[in-house]
Amino acid sequence: MTLLKSLARSPSAIIGAVLLLIVLVMAASAGWLFPNDPLSLAGRPLQAPFANPRFPLGTDSVGRNVAAQLFYGARTSLLIGLISTVVAIVIGIVVGALAGFYGRWIDTALMRVTEAFQTVPSFILLLLLVVIFGSHIETLALTIGIVSWTAPARLTRAEFLTLRNREFVQACRGLGMPNWRIIFLEILPNALPPVIVYASVVMAFSILLESALAFLGLSDPNVASWGNLIADGRRVLRTAAYVATLPGLVILITVLSISLIGQGLNDAMNPRLRRKG
């Protein structure tokens, strides 16, 4: 049974894909539905949803269109999530593969570095990096990826430790294949499934981290994001709760969709679960 067929039989994967498709449509249609700058003043502040047909989801505390910020915020969150996930997975794979394949002092040194990163809470380390390197949107994506690579590294290392002495690896060594080819062309494809599944966790976590930074006023203020909108809504939470509630719901839907897809991938790529199916 192919991976796509397995995913098609997973209710969690189907629900997650539908929810994520909604967010993707929001991101893709933002420029068409709202051609103007989403951060520009559009009308009277704090107009309630559906009170004005020009602003179906209302306006925020300074008169910006909430719907426009939600749609453009989908672009921001997905971009940050994607870049951060790629950075974290690439770093984690390289570190974990080298540690698991070579072992000995290389494994010890790389794992000590990994443990050093893990001793500091991810969000605290992220705050430090943002203070040092700034809060530009691309910088945020890279720094979130940098604080998220330790778990993929440990997962990759564990897979390499179980695979490095298998018969096919011994055969490659007997044929004189260089280590880099054995690592990246022979062992890594067999070690990737759990790492790919965990990538969904990294992406969801990255979106939440950016929202938390924006809530604290440490995200890029020149970019429309869900976290920035929640931060603005915090000041008017008692009088205009929709300003913070709407982006919070979209964040919930996005993170839930990614988590459900990850669960579906786990079900599809787990051999024991496939045999039960």
Side-chain angles (χ1 to χ4, degrees):
M1 182 181 295
T2 65
L3 177 61
L4 289 178
K5 288 183 179 179
S6 298
L7 288 174
R9 295 180 58 185
S10 171
S12 60
I14 294 174
I15 295 173
V18 171
L19 293 176
L20 185 58
L21 180 61
I22 294 174
V23 180
L24 289 171
V25 169
M26 289 176 59
S29 61
W32 175 62
L33 293 175
F34 307 100
N36 298 324
D37 183 359
L39 298 181
S40 62
L41 302 183
R44 182 169 50 84
L46 298 180
Q47 296 185 57
F50 310 113
N52 187 332
R54 291 180 54 207
F55 313 113
L57 298 181
T59 58
D60 65 8
S61 61
V62 294
R64 296 173 298 193
N65 191 341
V66 171
Q69 293 182 74
L70 288 177
F71 276 67
Y72 278 91
R75 290 184 176 183
T76 303
S77 293
L78 292 176
L79 177 64
I80 288 177
L82 182 60
I83 295 176
S84 301
T85 301
V86 170
V87 171
I89 295 300
V90 168
I91 296 175
I93 285 176
V94 171
V95 173
L98 294 177
F101 182 80
Y102 288 106
R104 298 184 179 179
W105 68 268
I106 295 178
D107 182 23
T108 302
L110 291 176
M111 286 302 99
R112 294 299 82 78
V113 173
T114 303
E115 290 171 359
F117 269 82
Q118 290 182 315
T119 56
V120 182
S122 299
F123 192 67
I124 300 300
L125 180 58
L126 180 59
L127 289 176
L128 177 62
L129 293 176
V130 168
V131 170
I132 295 173
F133 298 106
S135 60
H136 194 271
I137 198 68
E138 287 81 5
T139 305
L140 281 182
L142 291 175
T143 52
I144 291 173
I146 289 173
V147 303
S148 306
W149 64 269
T150 53
R154 286 193 171 277
L155 185 58
T156 304
R157 173 181 176 269
E159 291 296 314
F160 266 72
L161 288 175
T162 63
L163 294 170
R164 67 180 182 180
N165 293 319
R166 294 285 180 87
E167 291 79 4
F168 73 94
V169 177
Q170 298 298 335
C172 292
R173 286 171 172 159
L175 294 172
M177 188 176 294
N179 286 339
W180 70 267
R181 289 195 62 184
I182 297 176
I183 293 172
F184 295 107
L185 300 182
E186 300 297 332
I187 302 180
L188 183 58
N190 294 281
L192 271 181
V195 180
I196 293 174
V197 172
Y198 192 79
S200 63
V201 178
V202 177
M203 186 167 185
F205 187 58
S206 300
I207 293 174
L208 290 175
L209 281 179
E210 188 279 329
S211 299
L213 284 175
F215 182 78
L216 295 175
L218 296 175
S219 186
D220 192 340
N222 299 314
V223 175
S225 75
W226 297 331
N228 285 333
L229 190 54
I230 291 177
D232 178 75
R234 177 183 57 181
R235 298 191 295 267
V236 293
L237 192 58
R238 293 187 177 183
T239 58
Y242 66 90
V243 178
T245 302
L246 291 176
L249 289 175
V250 179
I251 291 173
L252 173 64
I253 291 172
T254 305
V255 172
L256 177 63
S257 69
I258 296 171
S259 300
L260 289 174
I261 292 174
Q263 181 181 338
L265 282 172
N266 183 54
D267 295 342
M269 302 177 83
N270 190 315
R272 290 191 293 266
L273 293 176
R274 284 206 303 267
R275 283 198 292 269
K276 289 181 183 179

